[in-house]
Amino acid sequence: MSASFSSVDYDLRQQRLAQAIKIAQLEGMALNAGPSLTYLTGLHFHLSERPVLGLFSAGNPPVIVLPELETGKISNLAYQTSSFAYGEDPETWQTIMKEGIQAAGFSGRRIGIEPRVLRVLELDLLNSTGIDFTLVSGEAALAHLRMQKDEYEQARMQKAVDIAQNALDAILPEIKPGITERELAAKLVVALLNNGSDPQLPFSPIVASGPNSANPHAFPTDRQLIKGDLLIIDWGANEGGYFSDLTRTFAIGDPQQEMVEIAQIVLEANQAAHNIARPGVSAQEVDQAARAVIEAAGYGDYFTHRTGHGLGMEGHEAPYIRAGNPILLTPGMTFTIEPGIYLSGKGGVRIEDDVVITEEGLYSFSDLPRELKILGS
Ligand code: CO
């Protein structure tokens, strides 16, 4: 995975971070292991019992505080860092942390952190040194930085979508009455890996049939597919740390008329969102475009979630395509469009694409047929 990150200009990303920090009226950023630290440094650390922190501030090279056994990861970087490595005795960590904070020049400063990512382990260590600084949320600054994907990132996401689409195509012949949701999910995971996905999938595939398809976050069960079912498959691949997240809905044998109708409505809602999304349009307008179609058809109460979410190094990230989000779309933003209708006890339909805002409008990374396809009849 590290090889595929080698063409990224981390100096440039760190310069952009310095600007984002300034715009957010911060003076530094303290990040533990996670997508933002990887985005800025290319470094991958597992969250373990040993703390890792990246300390960023304008005018200083990134400071990495890390366990000695991880120092191999920073021995050959294309950009400058100051590293502070600690040994196995936790009693020594505070002293090393203090040296790191001094090198980053954090004293007396306003420092951004990621509230959803930073653990109490790292927070306590940051606060343990007696050096005075203020920690506030740096989430908006980091979202601003990461929301617009460059060409390299968009290419990774296109590949992640291609892998996912090929994997689904590979298992289509298996979708027929008698197979269980769990068996299909297992085949899909194997197909994702066989088609080139990195092993850490963005999420376990959702395979939900019949009444289970009315639950947007269903887990695969031992239920066997039967004729008349709707079948929702929601799956994604990982290409070099970038994710895809797709959903298609199928019918097993001939579906009931109402299921055909809701599939058509969701398809039109998906298309309405595609048609309106372009630079200068807000996230809430995209949500509204999809929602209006479903409401006009009388199913507004059955579209129970937002129209989409940002996608990239995280399965869910900014921008969130929901009512009340005024953020304006700009070229390079990548997100999902995934309207749905869920009829309790009967079935559900969701059609999810991964898209990117371009200079002219919108491009859909995904192009699998969206119409309700009848399988296994
Ligand atoms: Co999604």
Side-chain angles (χ1 to χ4, degrees):
M1 196 187 282
S2 53
S4 62
F5 273 95
S6 60
S7 54
V8 176
D9 185 344
Y10 292 106
D11 277 318
L12 181 66
R13 288 187 178 178
Q14 289 163 16
Q15 285 165 26
R16 289 183 58 228
L17 173 70
Q19 286 166 5
I21 284 174
K22 202 172 165 190
I23 291 166
Q25 297 182 316
L26 300 172
E27 296 165 296
M29 196 73 78
L31 303 175
N32 67 324
S36 292
L37 185 63
T38 301
Y39 177 85
L40 290 164
T41 64
L43 295 169
H44 292 269
F45 295 102
H46 290 287
L47 287 172
S48 79
E49 71 280 20
R50 300 180 180 95
V52 171
L53 280 156
L55 310 178
F56 300 84
S57 55
N60 296 308
V63 169
I64 313 287
V65 178
L66 78 175
E68 272 167 0
L69 81 164
E70 301 269 37
T71 49
K73 290 182 180 170
I74 55 167
S75 60
N76 211 359
L77 298 174
Y79 53 87
Q80 220 196 325
T81 56
S82 316
S83 65
F84 295 85
Y86 60 80
E88 291 287 16
D89 180 2
E91 298 287 318
T92 64
W93 295 359
Q94 188 181 313
T95 309
I96 302 293
M97 189 72 225
K98 188 170 182 175
E99 290 170 16
I101 288 174
Q102 282 164 341
F106 275 9
S107 180
R109 297 276 169 88
R110 262 169 77 81
I111 307 301
I113 56 165
E114 290 182 290
R116 290 184 302 118
V117 182
L118 191 75
R119 300 180 300 178
V120 175
L121 177 67
E122 285 85 6
L123 183 64
D124 279 351
L125 192 58
L126 278 168
N127 285 330
S128 72
T129 64
I131 299 176
D132 189 38
F133 50 87
T134 311
L135 296 178
V136 297
S137 174
E139 209 164 40
L142 290 162
H144 178 75
L145 193 65
R146 285 176 42 197
M147 240 182 314
Q148 277 151 303
K149 273 68 175 178
D150 61 26
E151 265 174 44
Y152 172 85
E153 295 181 284
Q154 291 181 35
R156 298 280 76 71
M157 293 185 67
Q158 179 68 69
K159 183 87 191 298
V161 168
D162 293 345
I163 292 168
Q165 296 198 144
N166 291 339
L168 188 76
D169 276 339
I171 68 152
L172 281 186
E174 314 279 351
I175 302 178
K176 50 193 160 198
I179 193 165
T180 69
E181 294 170 354
R182 189 190 298 268
E183 286 163 348
L184 268 183
K187 288 178 191 296
L188 184 51
V189 168
V190 171
L192 283 163
L193 299 182
N194 280 340
N195 279 277
S197 175
D198 286 341
Q200 201 162 11
L201 298 180
F203 56 93
S204 300
I206 293 171
V207 177
S209 64
N212 296 346
S213 63
N215 173 7
H217 281 155
F219 293 105
T221 72
D222 291 321
R223 185 183 184 279
Q224 291 181 324
L225 272 51
I226 56 171
K227 288 199 174 186
D229 280 350
L230 289 184
L231 173 70
I232 284 181
I233 300 182
D234 185 342
W235 79 112
N238 175 352
E239 159 65 21
Y242 286 84
F243 297 154
S244 53
D245 178 6
L246 302 172
T247 306
R248 289 293 182 269
T249 304
F250 301 97
I252 310 305
D254 281 332
Q256 288 172 9
Q257 188 53 34
E258 188 178 27
M259 300 297 120
V260 174
E261 283 167 15
I262 63 171
Q264 182 60 30
I265 295 161
V266 172
L267 176 62
E268 287 170 18
N270 175 292
Q271 285 166 343
H274 275 87
N275 291 342
I276 195 174
R278 61 181 179 275
V281 168
S282 66
Q284 62 190 352
E285 286 175 281
V286 177
D287 179 81
Q288 181 52 31
R291 202 164 297 282
V293 171
I294 293 175
E295 282 172 354
Y299 287 97
D301 288 346
Y302 305 95
F303 177 18
T304 46
H305 55 74
R306 63 194 173 201
T307 293
H309 52 81
L311 182 69
M313 300 178 80
E314 290 180 273
H316 291 173
E317 58 180 51
Y320 296 97
I321 311 301
R322 59 168 175 81
N325 187 359
I327 191 170
L328 299 181
L329 301 177
T330 52
M333 284 186 181
T334 52
F335 55 91
T336 68
I337 290 176
E338 52 176 311
I341 295 176
Y342 309 94
L343 303 181
S344 181
K346 295 180 188 170
V349 173
R350 180 166 63 257
I351 304 170
E352 177 176 25
D353 287 297
D354 299 343
V355 303
V356 57
I357 297 294
T358 64
E359 298 291 339
E360 303 80 35
L362 170 137
Y363 178 77
S364 183
F365 293 126
S366 47
D367 61 359
L368 279 182
R370 300 175 180 89
E371 290 76 20
L372 186 65
K373 185 171 181 149
I374 298 176
L375 296 170
S377 61

